[in-house]
Amino acid sequence: MASKYEPLKEYLKSRDKSEQALKLSFDEIERIIGQSLPYTARVDRPWWANTRASYHAIRWLDAGWKVDKVDLLGTSVIFSRIDGNKVSKTTQVRYENLRRFFQNAPSQQEQMAITFDDLAKIVGGKLPDTAFSDRTWWANTRSSPQGKSWTKAGWKIEDVFLNARIVTFRKKGDNPVKNIPQFIKRLLDNPEHVICPAPRIVAGWIRFCKRTGWYFQAVVLYEKSGFSTSSLTENECADVDEDYAVCKRELNRYKEAVN
């Protein structure tokens, strides 16, 4: 089935080759696609991240454009041509420094909390203004030089705190087959001394449990781990609630047989 964002892709592809930047209001985008944008698009900058993992962003990326800036208050977005924004040699060197920093991190370290000032020292220059105001700059995507630096080194951004100017990174490669049973055992045996992982990690674990038939583990994660959806997007909340509901229903099937 064709994506509802396919018309946006075709619209961007049709723009004159000399046009390097394009500002569209949310209303204009809605007219192009012929329907409303989701609520998340109007309140959550990460929805506009340039990542091929989202079914809408892949449309503008395939058209040769990327999101440069999102103005949620002004309800507009600025797209720029990917080919027209080649990374300078200076920028390449800076983010190569960042890649090496993550690559040389101690093997036992799973998480880092780094201030924006410290990141500037690592790259050897100031961070762009966009990094201080637009969450999409911090997307875990290889389509941007900064995102490529940490993802290529095996790390991903866990959360960004723009006001505090701190970003947390976590090493990729979480092994749910190993980590979920270990966490569940610690949680049920000694819950007072267990710290719940980041909400997105737990949400991912719950989805993994649903897919593998670990219904009991999913229910425990959702109900007993201290899991909170307050930092998740609307779509992420809906997904994890649905995953939990499926696991809860499957876990309770035996009650029907007993009755």
Side-chain angles (χ1 to χ4, degrees), residues 22-258:
L22 175 65
K23 182 177 181 179
L24 292 174
S25 68
F26 292 175
D27 289 342
E28 287 174 322
I29 293 175
E30 289 180 337
R31 285 195 291 271
I32 292 169
I33 65 177
Q35 51 189 299
S36 299
L37 288 166
Y39 173 75
T40 315
R42 292 181 174 271
V43 298
D44 197 354
R45 282 186 175 86
W47 190 92
W48 297 95
N50 295 301
T51 171
R52 303 189 75 84
S54 67
Y55 61 92
H56 48 275
I58 198 172
R59 264 64 194 186
W60 61 69
L61 292 172
D62 282 349
W65 294 75
K66 67 177 182 179
V67 169
D68 247 2
K69 188 174 182 180
V70 180
D71 183 356
L72 295 181
L73 293 178
T75 63
S76 66
V77 57
I78 296 177
F79 292 93
S80 64
R81 285 195 185 275
I82 295 174
D83 292 341
N85 290 273
K86 294 182 178 179
V87 181
S88 68
K89 289 185 178 180
T90 300
T91 301
Q92 289 177 352
V93 170
R94 286 182 175 181
Y95 292 118
E96 179 63 19
N97 292 338
L98 188 57
R99 184 193 66 79
R100 283 198 294 267
F101 170 81
F102 284 107
Q103 203 163 44
N104 294 329
S107 58
Q108 70 274 18
Q109 188 160 8
E110 298 291 332
Q111 186 190 49
M112 295 188 201
I114 307 177
T115 66
F116 288 12
D117 287 342
D118 284 341
L119 276 173
K121 293 176 183 177
I122 294 168
V123 301
K126 291 182 179 180
L127 297 178
D129 293 341
T130 316
F132 294 84
S133 60
D134 195 341
R135 290 182 181 275
T136 60
W137 189 89
W138 299 95
N140 293 306
T141 171
R142 294 199 177 192
S143 64
S144 67
Q146 67 275 11
K148 184 177 180 179
S149 67
W150 57 71
T151 56
K152 192 174 181 180
W155 288 75
K156 63 182 179 181
I157 283 185
E158 185 176 56
D159 214 338
V160 181
F161 305 94
L162 294 179
N163 289 336
R165 297 189 176 184
I166 296 173
V167 57
T168 57
F169 294 86
R170 183 170 294 277
K171 188 175 291 185
K172 293 193 297 185
D174 175 46
N175 183 358
V177 174
K178 176 182 177 181
N179 294 344
I180 293 174
Q182 289 179 345
F183 178 77
I184 293 294
K185 179 173 175 54
R186 293 198 305 271
L187 180 63
L188 295 181
D189 288 346
N190 196 10
E192 295 82 9
H193 297 89
V194 174
I195 299 176
C196 183
R200 284 186 175 84
I201 291 178
V202 177
W205 283 1
I206 292 173
R207 169 144 295 192
F208 176 86
C209 289
K210 185 191 75 170
R211 290 173 175 171
T212 55
W214 290 5
Y215 305 127
F216 170 76
Q217 289 85 343
V219 172
V220 171
L221 286 169
Y222 190 94
E223 296 181 352
K224 299 182 180 298
S225 69
F227 172 59
S228 171
T229 61
S230 60
S231 64
L232 301 182
T233 66
E234 185 180 30
N235 288 343
E236 288 171 334
C237 289
D239 288 342
V240 73
D241 286 344
E242 181 182 356
D243 292 339
Y244 163 71
V246 170
C247 294
K248 184 79 169 180
R249 183 176 64 248
E250 292 297 323
L251 189 63
N252 288 335
R253 281 190 182 278
Y254 80 93
K255 292 182 179 179
E256 300 174 5
V258 172

